[in-house]
Amino acid sequence: MATIRDIAKITGYSVTTVSRVINNHPYVTKEKKDHINQVIKEMNYVPNQTARNLSSGKSQNIGVLVPFINQPYYDQMLKGINKAAFENDYRVTLLPTDFDPEIEMGYLEEFSAKGFDGLIVVTRANHLEVFDDYRQYGPIVFCEEADGSHCGAAYPDITGSMMKVLSYFKDKGIKRVGLTLGRDNRLSCNSKTAIALCQEYFPEFTTDDIMWNCHDLTKGKAAAAFFKERGVDAILANGDEIAAIILKEYEGGKAPLIVGRDNLLVGEMLGLPTVDHQLIQCGETAFNLFYEESSEKIKQPFEFIKR
Amino acid sequence: MATIRDIAKITGYSVTTVSRVINNHPYVTKEKKDHINQVIKEMNYVPNQTARNLSSGKSQNIGVLVPFINQPYYDQMLKGINKAAFENDYRVTLLPTDFDPEIEMGYLEEFSAKGFDGLIVVTRANHLEVFDDYRQYGPIVFCEEADGSHCGAAYPDITGSMMKVLSYFKDKGIKRVGLTLGRDNRLSCNSKTAIALCQEYFPEFTTDDIMWNCHDLTKGKAAAAFFKERGVDAILANGDEIAAIILKEYEGGKAPLIVGRDNLLVGEMLGLPTVDHQLIQCGETAFNLFYEESSEKIKQPFEFIKR
DNA sequence: TTGTACGCGTTATCAC
DNA sequence: GTGATAACGCGTACAA
C-alpha cells in the first residue's frame, strides 16, 4: 500500500507538498499539483484514515448506545441519528448494550480511549452520574430525560403523552387501568414516572396491575391473560406491537381500551389509538446537540392519535 | 490526556515496559507491574485506540452498507450482523447508501483508506464487479446472490421462496398474479428473478402487472388501487407491510390472495401468508464469512408460512 | 512557494 | 528482564 512518502519520492517533491495537494491547501503551483495528482491516481494512493485520525485527534465517528437492534423504538431513534450524522459527514457506530451495565461501561472505556468523537445514549443501564465523568472525552447526549446531568438531551415527552392518555381514559369513564412496562429496573425513569402518573390519575391504581418486562413480543399473550384476569378496562401499553398482540387475544370478547406508543403500521391496521413520539426527529436533534457541543435539554413534542 | 510516555516518566520505567504491562506481555517483574498498574489507575490512563489501530493496521471495526435504516428487511439483517460482530468483539459502523451508487463508491473509498477491516454489503447500488477491486483492502461479504464475484455471500433464498409461493398460487387455481417490487433498477437481481419466475409459472404474466418502487409504505394504497383495476387474483408483495396495506384497502370486498415476505407481526395479526427468510441468521452468517475470510456462497433456507 | 523535521500514541525489534 | 529506537502514516510549525 502506497504511503504519502512514496508519492513524495516518486514525484520528487516533499511530503508536505503532497499533503497540501491532498488536502487542497494553497501555495502549490498548478503544474506540481497536476503532476502529483496524476501519480496519486496512477499509484492508486489513498490517505490512511487512521493516521489522519491520530494526527488530528478526531475520527468523524460517533458511538450510539442502544439496548437492542431491530426494535421499533430504537430503530426509529437510530434512523434520525443516522440521518443527521450522514448529513454532517459523520459515521455512526452501533454499541448494543442489552441493558447490561458492564457492557455499557466497556463502551465508556472505549470512548475514553478516543474511539469516538462523541456518544449518543439512547437508553442507559448505569446511573446518570456515571456519564458525567466521561464528558471530558467528548460530547455525550441522552435520548432520555437527564435532569441534573451536564450532558445534552433530546427526548420524547413520555410524561406529557401519558398524562394526555390517562386524562383521555378518565374522560372515557375508565375505572381500572393496566400498564405494561419495559424494565423492572430502578434505572428506568420512564417506568417510575408511569407508575406515579397512573396513581395520580387513578388513585386506586396499584403496581399489581403492571405487566413487567414487556420488551419481548412473546410477553404479549401472557400480558393479555394477566389483564383479563385482573379485569382492567383500559391498558396503556409500552408499544404498538405489544398493544396489538394483547388486542388480538381479546378477540371475540369485549376488549379494553388499549393505547400503544410508537405509531406503527400494525396499530394503524388494527385501529389502535397510539402516540407518535416523533422519535426520528428526536434522534436528529440528539445528533445536532452533539454536533453543536450543546448540553441543552430538548423535549420533543408528541401527537396523540385517537382513532 | 496522559500518554504511555507520561506513565513511563512517572514510574521511571521505559515505554516498552509500560506497554508490556498494558498488553499483558511476559518478562516484567510482578513488582514493577504492580507499580505501573497503580500509576495507570491513578493517572486514569487509557491507551489511545487510534494509535493502536495505526500501529497494528487493524481496527476491529466493520462497515455495513445498507440502503435504509428502520426498514424491517434491513433491520433484521443488521440485527444478525450486529449479534455476531458483538460476540467476536467487533464494532459495526452503519453506511447508509439510499441506493445511491456514488454514495456507495464513497464508502468503498473509505474502505480503501483502511477505515474498516471489512465490509458487509446488504444490498448494493453498483455493479458486482466494482467490488472485486476492493477485496485487496479486506474481506467483503454480500447478503445477496453474488455469482461470479470473488467475495463471500450469505443470502436469503428469494428465488426458492418465490417458486414455492408461485406453485402454491397455481395449486390454488390462481389465474392472474400481481407483483410489487422494490427497485426498478437493473441492478436488482431479485427483481429480475421475480419477473422471470412469474413468467415461468404464469406464462400470461406481463410486467404491466408490476407495481414498482414499493419500498415506501405510502405506495401501499396506490398499489391496491392499481391491482384492483387490473383485476389480479393473487399478489406477491415485497414485504409484509406493503401486503398489509394492500389487504386493508380491499376491506369489504373480496381480497386477492396476498403473500408477504418478512414474517412481521402485522402479517400475523392480519392472517397474511408470508415467507420467513431467516434474515437474522443470514446476517450472522455474513459476519462469520467476513471473520473467517471466506468467500463461500451460502444460501439461507426459508420457511413458507401459509396461514 | 517549498521543504525539513517533529508530533500524534502505540507496538515491535533488537541489543543489552 | 529491561530499555532505546524505529516503525505506523499523516499533518503542520517553522525555516528557507
Side-chain angles (χ1 to χ4, degrees), chain A residues 91-92 94 110 248 269, chain B residues 91-92 94 110 248 269:
Chain A
R91 302 281 158 261
V92 168
L94 297 176
E110 269 186 63
K248 203 73 178 176
M269 293 289 119
Chain B
R91 302 283 157 261
V92 168
L94 297 176
E110 270 188 63
K248 204 71 178 178
M269 293 290 120

Side-chain angles (χ1 to χ4, degrees), chain A residues 200-235:
Chain A
E200 188 184 324
Y201 281 76
F202 294 87
E204 321 80 38
F205 176 85
T206 74
T207 52
D208 294 341
D209 283 342
I210 297 175
M211 180 76 186
W212 295 96
N213 287 312
C214 285
H215 42 66
D216 192 333
L217 296 189
T218 58
K219 284 282 160 63
K221 285 195 178 189
F226 174 78
F227 289 128
K228 271 183 189 169
E229 190 183 315
R230 302 200 65 84
V232 303
D233 52 358
I235 299 170

Side-chain angles (χ1 to χ4, degrees), chain B residues 238-249:
Chain B
N238 67 324
D240 281 22
E241 299 196 321
I242 287 284
I245 294 176
I246 294 175
L247 177 66
K248 204 71 178 178
E249 290 297 313

Side-chain angles (χ1 to χ4, degrees), chain B residues 91-284:
Chain B
R91 302 283 157 261
V92 168
T93 296
L94 297 176
L95 305 176
T97 66
D98 198 24
F99 278 129
D100 182 328
E102 292 196 22
I103 294 175
E104 188 171 271
M105 283 306 296
Y107 293 137
L108 287 174
E109 285 307 299
E110 270 188 63
F111 184 45
S112 69
K114 309 255 64 179
F116 313 103
D117 289 355
L119 241 39
I120 293 183
V121 184
V122 178
T123 294
R124 65 196 157 77
N126 282 285
H127 291 282
L128 200 53
E129 307 84 54
V130 172
F131 295 84
D132 274 338
D133 295 344
Y134 292 85
R135 267 300 317 277
Q136 56 180 304
Y137 304 107
I140 299 178
V141 178
F142 289 99
C143 297
E144 295 178 322
E145 258 188 86
D147 288 350
S149 162
H150 295 132
C151 308
Y155 58 97
D157 185 9
I158 310 272
T159 307
S161 72
M162 275 194 172
M163 289 170 63
K164 194 111 179 182
V165 172
L166 288 170
S167 78
Y168 174 72
F169 281 173
K170 279 207 103 66
D171 291 351
K172 286 277 182 182
I174 296 299
K175 294 287 173 242
R176 183 165 180 180
V177 173
L179 191 61
T180 74
L181 289 177
R183 279 196 290 172
D184 61 0
N185 198 312
R186 282 124 290 135
L187 284 165
S188 172
C189 34
N190 285 340
S191 296
K192 278 191 296 189
T193 311
I195 296 170
L197 286 175
C198 282
Q199 283 171 335
E200 186 185 326
Y201 281 77
F202 293 87
E204 321 79 36
F205 177 85
T206 75
T207 53
D208 294 342
D209 283 343
I210 297 176
M211 181 75 186
W212 295 95
N213 287 311
C214 285
H215 42 66
D216 191 333
L217 296 190
T218 57
K219 284 282 159 63
K221 285 195 178 188
F226 175 77
F227 289 127
K228 270 184 191 170
E229 190 183 315
R230 303 201 62 83
V232 303
D233 52 357
I235 299 170
L236 183 44
N238 67 324
D240 281 22
E241 299 196 321
I242 287 284
I245 294 176
I246 294 175
L247 177 66
K248 204 71 178 178
E249 290 297 313
Y250 273 95
E251 215 163 43
K254 178 169 165 44
L257 181 52
I258 309 175
V259 178
R261 207 180 72 162
D262 31 23
N263 193 20
L264 299 179
L265 183 69
V266 67
E268 190 181 334
M269 293 290 120
L270 268 40
L272 278 167
T274 189
V275 179
D276 187 341
H277 284 103
Q278 319 266 28
L279 300 178
I280 297 173
Q281 180 60 48
C282 209
E284 286 187 57

